[in-house]
Amino acid sequence: MQVVLRPEAEQELLEAQAWYESKALGLGFEFARAADAAVASALRNPYGHLHIEECFYRVLFRKFPYTLIYLPSPNELLVVSFFHQHREPGSWLERSGS
């Protein structure tokens, strides 16, 4: 299965990683590892995580207040957002194309 990141999701990931790295040396790397772990978990079991809106699923990050929001299909895992949990709930839906 191929992982595809929406441009907005990639931007969220890069900005969050830079912010954490600015707070403590190596923390940005730890955030990136948590993001990788969330994506890997979604790939292992795409339909086994919490179903949220319509056809979307989520995986919570470990140690960070972030959620991976994705849309699985037979051949692709579309990452819609690396969503900070203190943002307005559901604001990621604006970019989901639904």
Side-chain angles (χ1 to χ4, degrees):
M1 181 178 284
Q2 178 182 7
V3 176
V4 177
L5 273 66
R6 289 192 52 111
E8 301 93 336
E10 185 173 8
Q11 186 65 32
E12 288 170 338
L13 179 64
L14 294 173
E15 287 175 3
Q17 184 177 359
W19 188 86
Y20 280 112
E21 190 64 26
S22 76
K23 298 303 172 194
L25 185 62
L27 193 56
F29 177 72
E30 289 300 316
F31 177 80
R33 286 183 55 196
D36 286 344
V39 171
S41 181
L43 280 171
R44 278 191 308 273
N45 192 3
Y47 298 98
H49 292 283
L50 184 64
H51 181 250
I52 47 177
E53 293 282 333
E54 300 172 18
C55 301
F56 297 93
Y57 293 80
R58 78 171 191 196
V59 178
L60 299 176
F61 280 36
R62 288 185 168 205
K63 300 183 185 180
F64 294 94
Y66 275 81
T67 301
L68 168 70
I69 299 174
Y70 65 95
L71 176 64
S73 69
N75 301 318
E76 179 179 280
L77 187 87
L78 176 64
V79 175
V80 175
S81 182
F82 291 97
F83 191 75
H84 191 288
Q85 295 169 4
H86 295 144
R87 287 174 44 198
E88 182 68 30
S91 62
W92 61 270
L93 274 170
E94 296 169 3
R95 71 173 77 143
S96 68
S98 54

